[in-house]
Amino acid sequence: MMDMSLYAAFLVAAFALCVTPGPDMMFIVAMGGRGGPLTGVTAAVGVACAMFVHAVAAALGLSALFLTLPTLYHVLRWAGAAYLLFLAVRAFRGDGGSVEAEDAPRSGRRRAFWRGAVTNLLNPKVILFNVSFLPQFVNPDLGHVREQFLVLGFTITVMGLLVDGSVGLLSGKLASLLQRSRRVARGLDYFSGTVFAGLAVRLAVVPK
């Protein structure tokens, strides 16, 4: 079903993309910094789930809507920027303390998961990335084009989860050591807010 030479090239390209710091990785670092190791990993899981949704959409051809309906692209882009700004404001204000509150760690991790998923889902650039990147490694002559898309999407999702999960774990462990100081804890809030705000500006200002 898969062209193994194309798949091998895809593995190399996907790994290079996954280890290159980008918006998702910075978001996960910020979440881990605020909530600890498990929160960072959970945020990475949320991002990974959203990535797979994007891959399925590309396989079904839904992502092509952005090429024919540019207004939809911009609506989603501004919605994503607004959500990131909302997270930035909460971080700067220190609302609720860390993401992973001591009295409700499960609810804190659940929020981290959904924040990671929503942030990625509301980024139309990820959708366009799947439209432009994945087809390069699909061989229509072998048939089962949709299945090939799904294999590629699942592969890059797992690879991204392993990389981002490790980053979230390490950033969370470092934050756990530093959060013993109230001043450092507030500094981490400001760092997270700066990251969220920077991602929001990047999403709003850079159209494609």
Side-chain angles (χ1 to χ4, degrees), residues 88-108:
V89 171
R90 284 183 61 87
F92 283 131
R93 292 174 58 184
D95 289 351
S98 66
V99 174
E100 186 177 0
E102 292 182 1
D103 57 340
R106 290 185 180 178
S107 62

Side-chain angles (χ1 to χ4, degrees), residues 56-110:
V56 172
L60 296 176
L62 299 179
S63 300
L65 287 174
F66 284 85
L67 302 178
T68 57
L69 296 175
T71 300
L72 181 60
Y73 170 88
H74 291 295
V75 168
L76 196 61
R77 180 165 63 92
W78 283 107
Y83 181 70
L84 285 167
L85 280 177
F86 166 75
L87 295 182
V89 171
R90 284 183 61 87
F92 283 131
R93 292 174 58 184
D95 289 351
S98 66
V99 174
E100 186 177 0
E102 292 182 1
D103 57 340
R106 290 185 180 178
S107 62
R109 290 194 291 271
R110 187 160 50 247

Side-chain angles (χ1 to χ4, degrees), residues 106-197:
R106 290 185 180 178
S107 62
R109 290 194 291 271
R110 187 160 50 247
R111 287 195 299 273
F113 171 86
W114 285 113
R115 287 177 181 179
V118 171
T119 299
N120 191 276
L121 286 173
L122 290 179
N123 188 348
K125 298 175 185 178
V126 179
I127 300 176
L128 294 178
F129 164 78
N130 280 280
V131 173
S132 61
F133 180 69
L134 296 184
Q136 300 179 47
F137 305 95
V138 172
N139 187 347
D141 295 335
L142 296 179
H144 305 286
V145 172
R146 183 174 300 176
E147 287 77 6
Q148 291 186 62
F149 265 105
L150 292 177
V151 170
L152 296 174
F154 179 76
T155 300
I156 196 170
T157 298
V158 172
M159 190 178 295
L161 176 59
L162 292 175
V163 173
D164 290 340
S166 300
V167 170
L169 182 65
L170 292 175
S171 64
K173 283 186 176 296
L174 179 60
S176 296
L177 295 174
L178 297 177
Q179 280 180 343
R180 297 174 183 176
S181 165
R182 182 177 298 272
R183 181 178 298 178
V184 172
R186 285 299 295 147
L188 290 173
D189 283 339
Y190 285 123
F191 168 74
S192 299
T194 301
V195 170
F196 295 151

